Structures are given as C-alpha cells and as structure tokens.
Amino acid sequence: MTGKARTTSAPGLTQRVAGRLKRLVSGVAANTSPPKLATGFSADEQRLLELLLKFRNLSGGQNKQKRDEIEQIIERDFYKGAPWFDPQARAESQEPLLFCISYPRSGTTRFLHELRNKTNGHIFLAKRPERLGLNFDKRWQPRSYPHARLIKDHRPLGDYLHDDGYLIVRDGRDCMVSLAWMTRSEGLHQFYRQDELKDFIAWTVNKYGFGCWADHTRRLMALKAGGHKTIVRYEDQSSDKSVHEQMAAKKDEARKAWGLVTEDLTGSMFEAWQNSRGKSNWHQSFDREAAKAFHATGATEMLMELGYETDPNWWKNV
C-alpha cells in the first residue's frame, strides 16, 4: 500500500514543482529591469532630491527643454522596474506630506494654492499609471525634501488610509454641472441641454474614470478612519481672487475648461452655472429627472452625511 501511494503521488508532486519553477522563470524573464538592491539607496535618494529641486528652480517657457530632460532622467532612473521597498514605509518624511484628495471639480486646485501660500510647500500630482516622472509616488520619494509636499489626487485609494491630509468635498449637485462642462470640453461626451443633465449623471456611473459622486464620496469618507484627516468644504474656502481673476492669465483652453466663455448658453444645463460662478446653482440647473437620477446613484445618503441636505425626499420636490 505504501509503495503504491508513493508511485501515484510522485507525478503530482513533480508537476507542482515544475509548475512553480516555470512561474518563477517566467517572472524573471518578464522583468527586463531587475529590482535594484537597497545598498545604494541613500545615494539614489540624494540624487533624486537634487533633480527634483533643480526642476523646481527652472521656470518659464525658455527652460521647458531642460525641465523635460530632467523629467526623462527621473522617469528612466527611478521609476523603471519593480520597486523593492514598502509603500507605507516610504511615506515617511522630515517635512509634512499632506495628501489632498477629492472628487473632480470640488475646489482642490484653489485649496492647494492657498495651502501652498501658507506652508511654502510644493504641489505634486499623485502618480498615474500612464505618467511617471515628476508625479508623486509614495514608494519612491526622498525623506529629506526641504519643503512640505502637497499631493493632489482624485482617487480615494486605500493606500491613503493612514496618511495625513485633507478630504475636500463639495455639494455633488454643484459638482455635476461643473464636471459636465469640463468633460464636455475634453470631448468625452456631447451632453448640453438642461434636459440632458440626467443622461450625464448616468454617464458618470458607467463611463467616467472616477465614477459617480456618491460612490467616490463614500470611499473618500472611509479614509477618515486613519491618519489625521481634515474635511474641507468647498463652500467654506475663501480666496482673495475671483475665478475670473485667477484665470485671467491662462490660455484660452484653460479658460474654456473653467467655463469662461462668451458664447450664449441659454437653455443649456450650464446657463445658471455660468452666471453665478463659484456659488451653489444646482437649484437652477437641475430639473426633476436630473434630481431623480442623482438620487438613484445613492447620493442622498452622502449629501445628508456631509450636511448638504436635510430632507431625504429633496429630489421629489425639485
């Protein structure tokens, strides 16, 4: 019996071992840039710091070529290949790391610039899979950076649970109209009329990269459980400059993205929004069907949690 058992089990054992070896070999072959060793870490960190600061000191169009060269060096030397360090451990820093996370069109850019003025910090964008280089990545940044780093991200990732920072929120109904303008200007859809706002809201559920406001905000609020997070309401922010003043020096594309246009928007979902920039205007922009569609995404629960609504049946009264 024993000999028979050994004979029948041996082929299975051989297959399992062979399978493991095959996977290991395939993994090594697929990684054309093997992970660096931690022995040279300090020197690499110092070099990255020098490159980042050099990039920051180059400003103006005449330095674009030099900035591009530095970014290419950073992407090639520091982001190529698999990282060998713990993402959470690399979130340590001698100066504050403050993550500013929000749903798009919640006033994050304005808040970041005000925070930069108060802290003398530097603004970074969070890493995106399609773009590395100078975008901030928790896995690989110098601990000795001499300024506070203010990192903007629209993704409420679980990786941020134990970090410090700000959760920036806005009444999702106001977000919808502003977001509809921005995404339309980017060519992502063609919704325009006021009676098409309901269709745009449905579009955010199924086709928008950051998802619908309700689901996103629910994940955002879950990040309060760890680290030191401060909730910042769009409506409580203040700025010395109006939107028009802030955008005065921007190029036409940026101004159009912000809705600063001269075209007649009568009859569109953007009419009230254009006439009262920076203020709550969803009451004038939403019709009954848009309110119903927004409620159907699960938004009412989050509106009430954030204090933007007290009536669970608000959508029936539009």
Side-chain angles (χ1 to χ4, degrees), residues 14 38 113 229 241 252 288:
T14 302
H113 283 80
K229 305 288 199 313
K241 295 182 179 180
D252 289 344
R288 172 68 65 84

Side-chain angles (χ1 to χ4, degrees), residues 184-252:
R184 186 177 187 275
S185 69
E186 293 173 343
L188 299 180
H189 61 81
Q190 290 300 316
F191 303 120
Y192 180 80
R193 301 191 313 270
Q194 186 171 21
D195 63 1
E196 292 180 309
L197 181 54
K198 66 180 186 305
D199 301 315
F200 169 74
I201 292 170
W203 178 86
T204 66
V205 175
N206 300 311
K207 296 184 178 180
Y208 185 46
F210 295 108
C212 70
W213 178 85
D215 290 344
H216 186 285
T217 303
R218 195 169 285 108
R219 296 195 303 272
L220 189 72
M221 290 299 101
L223 296 179
K224 293 187 301 179
H228 183 272
K229 305 288 199 313
T230 300
I231 297 177
V232 178
R233 290 164 52 98
Y234 175 94
E235 296 76 12
D236 296 336
Q237 295 185 46
S238 61
S239 177
D240 295 334
K241 295 182 179 180
S242 67
V243 172
H244 285 272
E245 290 173 321
Q246 292 178 44
M247 300 302 293
K250 301 292 184 181
K251 295 181 179 179
D252 289 344

